[in-house]
Amino acid sequence: MSAGAYAPGEARRVAVFVTFRYGGEFSAPRVHRLAADSRARFAGMPGLVSKAFTVLPELREARNVYVWDGMEAARAFFTPDTCAHIAALYGAPPAIEYAELAAWVDASDASRKAPGPDVACGP
């Protein structure tokens, strides 16, 4: 799929947010190591468009963001066995949220850059 809105009948990509909330046992370096060790497992995975491993130390959370080709691929990955496995790896149960992507932008494709003013967020 190219950047922009979906064409009629085109399968919609799905984002999945997997959040691990920790108590006193949170370790950002441990989460970074786990991400580095797990990265290769997802390369070339059928149906997976991208995955980001994130750490939110101030919230004592790790949050992984997956983008899948569609809801079927997303839900097929997050089986009860997979959820139990990742809970054991991360040491916390995952909270899983599914969201339909309204549009997809591939920022690496410079030929599609839209003209316009720079936008600043925040104060």
Side-chain angles (χ1 to χ4, degrees):
M1 180 178 82
S2 61
Y6 292 92
E10 185 175 15
R12 297 203 177 260
R13 285 188 171 165
V14 173
V16 181
F17 304 93
V18 180
T19 304
F20 303 91
R21 293 181 177 92
Y22 293 90
E25 70 285 351
F26 177 78
S27 167
R30 179 180 176 269
V31 174
H32 282 273
R33 280 190 308 276
L34 179 59
D37 293 347
S38 301
R39 188 172 177 222
R41 176 175 185 253
F42 296 95
M45 182 176 281
L48 182 64
V49 176
S50 65
K51 178 178 180 181
F53 298 85
T54 71
V55 180
L56 296 90
E58 66 282 357
L59 297 177
R60 305 178 72 72
E61 292 182 358
R63 185 172 303 140
N64 296 333
V65 182
Y66 300 74
V67 176
W68 295 92
D69 277 337
M71 187 63 76
E72 186 177 333
R75 292 201 182 271
F77 178 76
F78 291 102
T79 65
D81 286 345
T82 297
C83 292
H85 175 73
I86 60 175
L89 280 175
Y90 279 84
I96 301 174
E97 300 172 283
Y98 297 86
E100 182 179 285
L101 269 64
W104 176 259
V105 177
D106 182 350
S108 66
D109 186 354
S111 69
R112 295 185 179 273
K113 184 174 179 176
D118 291 336
V119 177
C121 296

